[in-house]
Amino acid sequence: MLAALGLTLVATFGAMAMVLAGPLTPIKFDVGGAASMLNPYFSQNWQLFAPDPVSDERGVIARFECNGNATDWRDITSQAIVRTQASRFFPPRESRIVSSAVLQRFAEDDLTERLLKKHKADLAPPDERVRRQAEEVLARYAALTVGCGRDDQRPTAVQLRYVTKALPPWSQRGSAPRDAQPSTIDSAWIRL
């Protein structure tokens, strides 16, 4: 009886993992709710087999409006990584908030890109709502983790700066490092 129950659990887990990791099919729509029970601890993705792997280092810094004054720029990416690496056995998942929001902010839909190249942007305009939501998530995270620096002050607005530094190609990773200048993109002030 116990062996049958264990075998049933393993088979169910395997089936749900295959549904989540597989391509978009009608089956995924039918049982997707049940299969999502694997998230966030056992989620599957195809990132290992990415056709265009990450070729740059990305980070976010933020400054805050506190009592009408703007603060200096403060790093929010490194703090999340340090907290994650401080506990190897049970790390917090904070760094995923930053990395997921940055990916979501700069994600480009393949169909939209193809239509833009054909000068038909009116057929599928870029979804600014998704980008705005990603920036709001980053702004709230920055306000909660860094903030104004004092407990009695809460920021009223946040401005984000996305910093991107290109990594050398794999064929040149072992040679002398070249100092690529980081590129930056500033967001507008986000009211909290």
Side-chain angles (χ1 to χ4, degrees):
M1 175 71 175
L2 192 57
L5 179 64
L7 186 59
T8 303
L9 285 172
V10 168
T12 304
F13 174 80
M16 287 192 302
M18 289 182 68
V19 167
L20 276 180
L24 192 61
T25 63
I27 296 171
K28 196 169 197 172
F29 288 118
D30 289 340
V31 297
S36 67
M37 290 188 306
L38 297 175
N39 292 331
Y41 303 108
F42 300 110
S43 62
Q44 307 290 317
N45 62 37
W46 291 93
Q47 197 165 9
L48 177 64
F49 306 106
D52 53 345
V54 175
S55 60
D56 54 15
E57 185 177 10
R58 299 177 184 180
V60 181
I61 58 177
R63 67 178 176 176
F64 307 92
E65 185 179 279
C66 302
N67 293 337
N69 298 322
T71 64
D72 293 333
W73 292 100
R74 298 180 185 159
D75 186 6
I76 61 171
T77 307
S78 297
Q79 291 181 4
I81 292 171
V82 166
R83 281 195 282 275
T84 300
Q85 291 178 348
S87 176
R88 295 290 183 179
F89 291 113
F90 302 105
R93 306 283 190 230
E94 272 184 51
S95 62
R96 290 185 183 182
I97 295 171
V98 177
S99 61
S100 296
V102 169
L103 286 174
Q104 186 178 12
R105 164 61 178 86
F106 292 102
E108 293 291 332
D109 180 36
D110 186 43
L111 176 64
T112 305
E113 283 184 26
R114 285 186 282 169
L115 288 173
L116 286 173
K117 285 180 183 175
K118 293 181 180 180
H119 304 290
K120 298 185 180 194
D122 56 333
L123 296 177
D127 191 1
E128 292 298 323
R129 179 181 46 85
V130 173
R131 292 179 178 175
R132 188 175 60 249
Q133 286 175 345
E135 285 190 342
E136 289 173 358
V137 166
L138 283 170
R140 288 193 308 264
Y141 174 77
L144 286 173
T145 57
V146 179
C148 294
R150 292 178 44 189
D151 291 336
D152 61 338
Q153 289 183 350
R154 296 196 48 97
T156 55
V158 178
Q159 185 179 21
L160 302 169
R161 177 174 284 173
Y162 304 98
V163 181
T164 306
K165 183 177 179 184
L167 297 173
W170 280 105
S171 60
Q172 299 173 5
R173 295 264 165 113
S175 61
R178 57 177 195 192
D179 293 330
Q181 292 297 319
S183 62
T184 60
I185 298 173
D186 291 350
S187 72
W189 283 94
I190 302 161
R191 297 283 163 205
L192 299 176

Short mmCIF file of all heavy atoms in Angstrom, two decimals, residues 17-73:
data_model
loop_
_atom_site.label_atom_id
_atom_site.label_comp_id
_atom_site.label_asym_id
_atom_site.label_seq_id
_atom_site.Cartn_x
_atom_site.Cartn_y
_atom_site.Cartn_z
N ALA A 17 5.80 17.86 -13.89
CA ALA A 17 7.04 18.49 -14.33
C ALA A 17 7.14 18.49 -15.85
O ALA A 17 7.57 19.48 -16.45
CB ALA A 17 8.24 17.79 -13.70
N MET A 18 6.74 17.41 -16.48
CA MET A 18 6.79 17.35 -17.94
C MET A 18 5.80 18.32 -18.58
O MET A 18 6.09 18.93 -19.59
CB MET A 18 6.54 15.92 -18.42
CG MET A 18 7.70 14.99 -18.11
SD MET A 18 7.45 13.33 -18.70
CE MET A 18 7.51 13.58 -20.44
N VAL A 19 4.63 18.46 -17.97
CA VAL A 19 3.64 19.40 -18.50
C VAL A 19 4.16 20.83 -18.38
O VAL A 19 4.06 21.62 -19.32
CB VAL A 19 2.28 19.24 -17.78
CG1 VAL A 19 1.36 20.39 -18.09
CG2 VAL A 19 1.64 17.93 -18.18
N LEU A 20 4.73 21.18 -17.23
CA LEU A 20 5.24 22.54 -17.05
C LEU A 20 6.46 22.82 -17.93
O LEU A 20 6.61 23.93 -18.43
CB LEU A 20 5.62 22.78 -15.60
CG LEU A 20 4.50 23.19 -14.67
CD1 LEU A 20 5.03 23.40 -13.26
CD2 LEU A 20 3.82 24.46 -15.15
N ALA A 21 7.33 21.86 -18.11
CA ALA A 21 8.57 22.08 -18.86
C ALA A 21 8.36 21.96 -20.36
O ALA A 21 9.18 22.45 -21.13
CB ALA A 21 9.64 21.09 -18.41
N GLY A 22 7.28 21.35 -20.77
CA GLY A 22 7.05 21.12 -22.19
C GLY A 22 6.56 22.36 -22.91
O GLY A 22 6.34 23.42 -22.32
N PRO A 23 6.41 22.23 -24.21
CA PRO A 23 5.93 23.37 -25.01
C PRO A 23 4.47 23.67 -24.71
O PRO A 23 3.77 22.90 -24.05
CB PRO A 23 6.12 22.87 -26.44
CG PRO A 23 6.08 21.39 -26.34
CD PRO A 23 6.66 21.05 -25.00
N LEU A 24 4.02 24.80 -25.21
CA LEU A 24 2.65 25.24 -25.00
C LEU A 24 1.70 24.37 -25.82
O LEU A 24 1.75 24.36 -27.04
CB LEU A 24 2.51 26.71 -25.39
CG LEU A 24 1.24 27.41 -24.98
CD1 LEU A 24 1.11 27.42 -23.47
CD2 LEU A 24 1.25 28.84 -25.50
N THR A 25 0.86 23.61 -25.13
CA THR A 25 -0.09 22.71 -25.78
C THR A 25 -1.44 22.83 -25.10
O THR A 25 -1.54 23.42 -24.01
CB THR A 25 0.38 21.24 -25.68
OG1 THR A 25 0.43 20.89 -24.29
CG2 THR A 25 1.74 21.03 -26.31
N PRO A 26 -2.50 22.27 -25.69
CA PRO A 26 -3.81 22.28 -25.02
C PRO A 26 -3.79 21.57 -23.67
O PRO A 26 -4.51 21.93 -22.75
CB PRO A 26 -4.73 21.57 -26.01
CG PRO A 26 -4.09 21.76 -27.34
CD PRO A 26 -2.63 21.79 -27.07
N ILE A 27 -2.93 20.57 -23.53
CA ILE A 27 -2.82 19.85 -22.25
C ILE A 27 -2.34 20.80 -21.16
O ILE A 27 -2.82 20.75 -20.02
CB ILE A 27 -1.87 18.64 -22.38
CG1 ILE A 27 -2.44 17.62 -23.37
CG2 ILE A 27 -1.62 17.99 -21.03
CD1 ILE A 27 -1.47 16.52 -23.73
N LYS A 28 -1.41 21.65 -21.51
CA LYS A 28 -0.89 22.60 -20.54
C LYS A 28 -1.98 23.54 -20.04
O LYS A 28 -2.02 23.91 -18.88
CB LYS A 28 0.26 23.40 -21.15
CG LYS A 28 1.13 24.11 -20.15
CD LYS A 28 2.36 24.63 -20.84
CE LYS A 28 3.41 24.98 -19.82
NZ LYS A 28 4.68 25.30 -20.42
N PHE A 29 -2.89 23.94 -20.92
CA PHE A 29 -4.00 24.78 -20.51
C PHE A 29 -4.98 24.03 -19.60
O PHE A 29 -5.51 24.59 -18.65
CB PHE A 29 -4.76 25.33 -21.72
CG PHE A 29 -4.01 26.38 -22.46
CD1 PHE A 29 -3.65 26.19 -23.77
CD2 PHE A 29 -3.64 27.57 -21.85
CE1 PHE A 29 -2.95 27.15 -24.47
CE2 PHE A 29 -2.94 28.54 -22.53
CZ PHE A 29 -2.59 28.33 -23.85
N ASP A 30 -5.20 22.74 -19.90
CA ASP A 30 -6.17 21.96 -19.12
C ASP A 30 -5.68 21.65 -17.72
O ASP A 30 -6.43 21.73 -16.76
CB ASP A 30 -6.51 20.66 -19.85
CG ASP A 30 -7.34 20.91 -21.10
OD1 ASP A 30 -7.96 21.99 -21.18
OD2 ASP A 30 -7.36 20.03 -21.98
N VAL A 31 -4.41 21.25 -17.58
CA VAL A 31 -3.90 20.84 -16.28
C VAL A 31 -2.86 21.79 -15.72
O VAL A 31 -2.18 21.48 -14.76
CB VAL A 31 -3.31 19.41 -16.34
CG1 VAL A 31 -4.37 18.41 -16.68
CG2 VAL A 31 -2.15 19.34 -17.29
N GLY A 32 -2.72 22.96 -16.34
CA GLY A 32 -1.71 23.92 -15.91
C GLY A 32 -1.89 24.36 -14.46
O GLY A 32 -0.92 24.57 -13.75
N GLY A 33 -3.13 24.52 -14.01
CA GLY A 33 -3.38 24.92 -12.63
C GLY A 33 -2.87 23.90 -11.64
O GLY A 33 -2.25 24.24 -10.63
N ALA A 34 -3.11 22.63 -11.92
CA ALA A 34 -2.63 21.57 -11.03
C ALA A 34 -1.11 21.45 -11.11
O ALA A 34 -0.44 21.25 -10.10
CB ALA A 34 -3.28 20.25 -11.39
N ALA A 35 -0.56 21.59 -12.30
CA ALA A 35 0.89 21.48 -12.47
C ALA A 35 1.62 22.64 -11.83
O ALA A 35 2.79 22.52 -11.47
CB ALA A 35 1.24 21.37 -13.95
N SER A 36 0.96 23.77 -11.66
CA SER A 36 1.63 24.93 -11.07
C SER A 36 1.89 24.74 -9.58
O SER A 36 2.53 25.58 -8.96
CB SER A 36 0.82 26.20 -11.31
OG SER A 36 -0.40 26.14 -10.60
N MET A 37 1.42 23.64 -8.99
CA MET A 37 1.72 23.36 -7.58
C MET A 37 3.23 23.15 -7.39
O MET A 37 3.73 23.26 -6.28
CB MET A 37 0.97 22.12 -7.10
CG MET A 37 -0.52 22.34 -6.97
SD MET A 37 -1.40 20.98 -6.20
CE MET A 37 -0.92 19.58 -7.18
N LEU A 38 3.94 22.86 -8.46
CA LEU A 38 5.39 22.69 -8.36
C LEU A 38 6.12 24.00 -8.11
O LEU A 38 7.24 24.01 -7.63
CB LEU A 38 5.94 22.06 -9.65
CG LEU A 38 5.46 20.66 -9.99
CD1 LEU A 38 6.00 20.26 -11.34
CD2 LEU A 38 5.88 19.68 -8.94
N ASN A 39 5.50 25.11 -8.48
CA ASN A 39 6.13 26.42 -8.32
C ASN A 39 6.04 26.86 -6.88
O ASN A 39 5.05 26.58 -6.22
CB ASN A 39 5.46 27.45 -9.22
CG ASN A 39 5.73 27.18 -10.67
OD1 ASN A 39 6.77 26.63 -11.01
ND2 ASN A 39 4.82 27.56 -11.53
N PRO A 40 6.97 27.59 -6.34
CA PRO A 40 8.23 28.03 -6.93
C PRO A 40 9.39 27.09 -6.66
O PRO A 40 10.48 27.32 -7.12
CB PRO A 40 8.46 29.36 -6.22
CG PRO A 40 7.94 29.13 -4.85
CD PRO A 40 6.73 28.22 -5.05
N TYR A 41 9.17 26.02 -5.92
CA TYR A 41 10.29 25.21 -5.47
C TYR A 41 10.80 24.23 -6.52
O TYR A 41 11.98 23.94 -6.58
CB TYR A 41 9.92 24.45 -4.20
CG TYR A 41 9.49 25.39 -3.11
CD1 TYR A 41 8.17 25.48 -2.72
CD2 TYR A 41 10.41 26.23 -2.50
CE1 TYR A 41 7.78 26.37 -1.73
CE2 TYR A 41 10.03 27.12 -1.52
CZ TYR A 41 8.71 27.18 -1.15
OH TYR A 41 8.33 28.06 -0.18
N PHE A 42 9.93 23.71 -7.35
CA PHE A 42 10.34 22.72 -8.33
C PHE A 42 10.03 23.17 -9.75
O PHE A 42 9.72 22.36 -10.61
CB PHE A 42 9.63 21.39 -8.06
CG PHE A 42 9.92 20.82 -6.71
CD1 PHE A 42 8.95 20.80 -5.73
CD2 PHE A 42 11.18 20.33 -6.40
CE1 PHE A 42 9.21 20.28 -4.50
CE2 PHE A 42 11.44 19.82 -5.16
CZ PHE A 42 10.46 19.80 -4.20
N SER A 43 10.11 24.44 -10.00
CA SER A 43 9.77 24.94 -11.33
C SER A 43 10.83 24.48 -12.34
O SER A 43 12.00 24.30 -12.01
CB SER A 43 9.65 26.45 -11.33
OG SER A 43 10.88 27.03 -10.98
N GLN A 44 10.39 24.29 -13.56
CA GLN A 44 11.25 23.83 -14.64
C GLN A 44 11.32 24.92 -15.69
O GLN A 44 10.35 25.64 -15.91
CB GLN A 44 10.67 22.56 -15.28
CG GLN A 44 10.35 21.47 -14.29
CD GLN A 44 11.60 20.84 -13.71
OE1 GLN A 44 12.54 20.59 -14.44
NE2 GLN A 44 11.62 20.61 -12.43
N ASN A 45 12.45 25.04 -16.36
CA ASN A 45 12.53 25.98 -17.48
C ASN A 45 13.58 25.49 -18.47
O ASN A 45 14.33 24.56 -18.19
CB ASN A 45 12.83 27.41 -17.01
CG ASN A 45 14.15 27.53 -16.31
OD1 ASN A 45 15.13 26.89 -16.68
ND2 ASN A 45 14.21 28.36 -15.29
N TRP A 46 13.63 26.16 -19.59
CA TRP A 46 14.52 25.77 -20.67
C TRP A 46 15.73 26.68 -20.74
O TRP A 46 16.39 26.76 -21.77
CB TRP A 46 13.77 25.80 -22.00
CG TRP A 46 12.75 24.74 -22.10
CD1 TRP A 46 11.44 24.85 -21.77
CD2 TRP A 46 12.95 23.39 -22.51
NE1 TRP A 46 10.79 23.67 -21.96
CE2 TRP A 46 11.70 22.75 -22.43
CE3 TRP A 46 14.03 22.67 -22.96
CZ2 TRP A 46 11.53 21.42 -22.77
CZ3 TRP A 46 13.85 21.35 -23.30
CH2 TRP A 46 12.62 20.74 -23.20
N GLN A 47 16.05 27.37 -19.69
CA GLN A 47 17.12 28.35 -19.73
C GLN A 47 18.48 27.72 -20.04
O GLN A 47 19.34 28.35 -20.64
CB GLN A 47 17.19 29.10 -18.40
CG GLN A 47 17.97 30.37 -18.50
CD GLN A 47 17.72 31.24 -17.29
OE1 GLN A 47 17.10 30.84 -16.34
NE2 GLN A 47 18.20 32.46 -17.35
N LEU A 48 18.68 26.48 -19.65
CA LEU A 48 19.93 25.79 -19.95
C LEU A 48 20.15 25.68 -21.46
O LEU A 48 21.27 25.73 -21.95
CB LEU A 48 19.93 24.40 -19.31
CG LEU A 48 21.13 23.51 -19.59
CD1 LEU A 48 22.38 24.13 -19.00
CD2 LEU A 48 20.90 22.13 -19.02
N PHE A 49 19.07 25.56 -22.20
CA PHE A 49 19.15 25.37 -23.63
C PHE A 49 18.82 26.66 -24.38
O PHE A 49 18.32 26.63 -25.49
CB PHE A 49 18.18 24.27 -24.06
CG PHE A 49 18.38 23.00 -23.30
CD1 PHE A 49 17.49 22.62 -22.33
CD2 PHE A 49 19.50 22.21 -23.53
CE1 PHE A 49 17.67 21.45 -21.62
CE2 PHE A 49 19.69 21.05 -22.83
CZ PHE A 49 18.78 20.66 -21.86
N ALA A 50 19.11 27.80 -23.78
CA ALA A 50 18.76 29.09 -24.38
C ALA A 50 19.51 29.30 -25.69
O ALA A 50 20.72 29.08 -25.77
CB ALA A 50 19.09 30.22 -23.41
N PRO A 51 18.80 29.74 -26.72
CA PRO A 51 19.49 29.98 -27.99
C PRO A 51 20.43 31.17 -27.94
O PRO A 51 21.40 31.20 -28.66
CB PRO A 51 18.34 30.23 -28.97
CG PRO A 51 17.19 30.62 -28.13
CD PRO A 51 17.38 29.98 -26.79
N ASP A 52 20.15 32.13 -27.09
CA ASP A 52 21.04 33.28 -26.93
C ASP A 52 21.31 33.47 -25.44
O ASP A 52 20.57 34.13 -24.74
CB ASP A 52 20.47 34.55 -27.57
CG ASP A 52 19.07 34.85 -27.11
OD1 ASP A 52 18.42 33.97 -26.52
OD2 ASP A 52 18.64 36.00 -27.33
N PRO A 53 22.39 32.85 -24.95
CA PRO A 53 22.68 32.91 -23.52
C PRO A 53 23.02 34.33 -23.08
O PRO A 53 23.32 35.21 -23.89
CB PRO A 53 23.89 31.99 -23.35
CG PRO A 53 24.51 31.93 -24.69
CD PRO A 53 23.41 32.12 -25.69
N VAL A 54 22.97 34.54 -21.78
CA VAL A 54 23.26 35.85 -21.22
C VAL A 54 24.68 36.26 -21.59
O VAL A 54 25.62 35.51 -21.38
CB VAL A 54 23.10 35.84 -19.68
CG1 VAL A 54 23.50 37.16 -19.09
CG2 VAL A 54 21.67 35.50 -19.32
N SER A 55 24.82 37.43 -22.17
CA SER A 55 26.13 37.88 -22.60
C SER A 55 26.48 39.23 -21.99
O SER A 55 27.36 39.92 -22.46
CB SER A 55 26.18 37.98 -24.13
OG SER A 55 25.20 38.90 -24.57
N ASP A 56 25.77 39.59 -20.94
CA ASP A 56 26.06 40.83 -20.25
C ASP A 56 25.73 40.70 -18.77
O ASP A 56 25.03 39.78 -18.36
CB ASP A 56 25.31 42.02 -20.87
CG ASP A 56 23.81 41.79 -20.95
OD1 ASP A 56 23.30 40.87 -20.30
OD2 ASP A 56 23.15 42.55 -21.69
N GLU A 57 26.30 41.60 -18.01
CA GLU A 57 26.06 41.64 -16.58
C GLU A 57 25.12 42.81 -16.32
O GLU A 57 25.36 43.92 -16.79
CB GLU A 57 27.39 41.85 -15.85
CG GLU A 57 27.28 41.79 -14.37
CD GLU A 57 28.65 41.92 -13.70
OE1 GLU A 57 29.63 42.25 -14.38
OE2 GLU A 57 28.70 41.70 -12.51
N ARG A 58 24.03 42.54 -15.60
CA ARG A 58 23.02 43.57 -15.39
C ARG A 58 22.85 43.84 -13.90
O ARG A 58 22.92 42.94 -13.09
CB ARG A 58 21.68 43.13 -15.97
CG ARG A 58 21.72 42.89 -17.44
CD ARG A 58 20.41 42.40 -17.95
NE ARG A 58 20.51 42.09 -19.37
CZ ARG A 58 19.52 41.64 -20.09
NH1 ARG A 58 18.35 41.43 -19.54
NH2 ARG A 58 19.68 41.39 -21.36
N GLY A 59 22.58 45.08 -13.60
CA GLY A 59 22.34 45.47 -12.22
C GLY A 59 21.42 46.68 -12.18
O GLY A 59 21.17 47.33 -13.19
N VAL A 60 20.92 46.95 -10.99
CA VAL A 60 20.02 48.09 -10.80
C VAL A 60 20.50 48.89 -9.60
O VAL A 60 20.82 48.33 -8.55
CB VAL A 60 18.57 47.62 -10.55
CG1 VAL A 60 17.64 48.81 -10.39
CG2 VAL A 60 18.09 46.72 -11.66
N ILE A 61 20.59 50.20 -9.79
CA ILE A 61 20.83 51.10 -8.67
C ILE A 61 19.63 52.04 -8.60
O ILE A 61 18.91 52.22 -9.58
CB ILE A 61 22.17 51.86 -8.81
CG1 ILE A 61 22.22 52.67 -10.10
CG2 ILE A 61 23.34 50.90 -8.73
CD1 ILE A 61 23.49 53.49 -10.25
N ALA A 62 19.41 52.59 -7.44
CA ALA A 62 18.23 53.44 -7.26
C ALA A 62 18.58 54.64 -6.40
O ALA A 62 19.51 54.60 -5.59
CB ALA A 62 17.12 52.64 -6.59
N ARG A 63 17.84 55.69 -6.61
CA ARG A 63 17.91 56.83 -5.70
C ARG A 63 16.49 57.17 -5.30
O ARG A 63 15.53 56.86 -6.00
CB ARG A 63 18.65 58.01 -6.31
CG ARG A 63 17.99 58.68 -7.46
CD ARG A 63 18.83 59.86 -7.92
NE ARG A 63 18.24 60.46 -9.11
CZ ARG A 63 18.71 61.54 -9.67
NH1 ARG A 63 19.78 62.14 -9.17
NH2 ARG A 63 18.14 62.03 -10.73
N PHE A 64 16.38 57.81 -4.14
CA PHE A 64 15.09 58.01 -3.52
C PHE A 64 14.83 59.48 -3.27
O PHE A 64 15.75 60.25 -3.03
CB PHE A 64 15.03 57.24 -2.19
CG PHE A 64 15.41 55.80 -2.34
CD1 PHE A 64 16.72 55.39 -2.16
CD2 PHE A 64 14.47 54.87 -2.69
CE1 PHE A 64 17.08 54.07 -2.32
CE2 PHE A 64 14.81 53.54 -2.84
CZ PHE A 64 16.11 53.14 -2.67
N GLU A 65 13.56 59.82 -3.30
CA GLU A 65 13.15 61.17 -2.91
C GLU A 65 12.65 61.08 -1.47
O GLU A 65 11.65 60.42 -1.19
CB GLU A 65 12.04 61.67 -3.83
CG GLU A 65 11.64 63.09 -3.56
CD GLU A 65 10.55 63.55 -4.50
OE1 GLU A 65 10.89 63.91 -5.63
OE2 GLU A 65 9.36 63.52 -4.10
N CYS A 66 13.39 61.71 -0.57
CA CYS A 66 13.07 61.68 0.85
C CYS A 66 12.94 63.12 1.36
O CYS A 66 13.91 63.88 1.27
CB CYS A 66 14.14 60.95 1.64
SG CYS A 66 14.41 59.25 1.09
N ASN A 67 11.80 63.48 1.83
CA ASN A 67 11.54 64.85 2.32
C ASN A 67 11.88 65.90 1.27
O ASN A 67 12.45 66.94 1.57
CB ASN A 67 12.31 65.13 3.61
CG ASN A 67 11.80 64.31 4.76
OD1 ASN A 67 10.66 63.85 4.75
ND2 ASN A 67 12.65 64.09 5.75
N GLY A 68 11.57 65.60 0.02
CA GLY A 68 11.79 66.55 -1.06
C GLY A 68 13.20 66.58 -1.61
O GLY A 68 13.48 67.31 -2.55
N ASN A 69 14.12 65.82 -1.05
CA ASN A 69 15.52 65.79 -1.51
C ASN A 69 15.83 64.42 -2.11
O ASN A 69 15.37 63.39 -1.61
CB ASN A 69 16.48 66.05 -0.36
CG ASN A 69 16.26 67.42 0.25
OD1 ASN A 69 15.98 68.38 -0.46
ND2 ASN A 69 16.37 67.51 1.57
N ALA A 70 16.65 64.42 -3.15
CA ALA A 70 17.07 63.16 -3.78
C ALA A 70 18.33 62.65 -3.10
O ALA A 70 19.25 63.41 -2.82
CB ALA A 70 17.32 63.37 -5.26
N THR A 71 18.37 61.36 -2.84
CA THR A 71 19.54 60.73 -2.23
C THR A 71 20.57 60.39 -3.32
O THR A 71 20.31 60.57 -4.51
CB THR A 71 19.15 59.43 -1.50
OG1 THR A 71 18.65 58.50 -2.46
CG2 THR A 71 18.11 59.70 -0.43
N ASP A 72 21.71 59.87 -2.90
CA ASP A 72 22.70 59.37 -3.85
C ASP A 72 22.19 58.04 -4.41
O ASP A 72 21.31 57.40 -3.86
CB ASP A 72 24.04 59.15 -3.15
CG ASP A 72 24.67 60.45 -2.69
OD1 ASP A 72 24.39 61.49 -3.32
OD2 ASP A 72 25.43 60.42 -1.71
N TRP A 73 22.83 57.60 -5.50
CA TRP A 73 22.49 56.31 -6.07
C TRP A 73 22.97 55.20 -5.14
O TRP A 73 24.09 55.23 -4.64
CB TRP A 73 23.14 56.15 -7.44
CG TRP A 73 22.59 57.06 -8.48
CD1 TRP A 73 23.14 58.23 -8.91
CD2 TRP A 73 21.38 56.90 -9.20
NE1 TRP A 73 22.33 58.80 -9.87
CE2 TRP A 73 21.25 58.01 -10.07
CE3 TRP A 73 20.37 55.94 -9.21
CZ2 TRP A 73 20.17 58.17 -10.93
CZ3 TRP A 73 19.30 56.10 -10.07
CH2 TRP A 73 19.20 57.20 -10.91
#
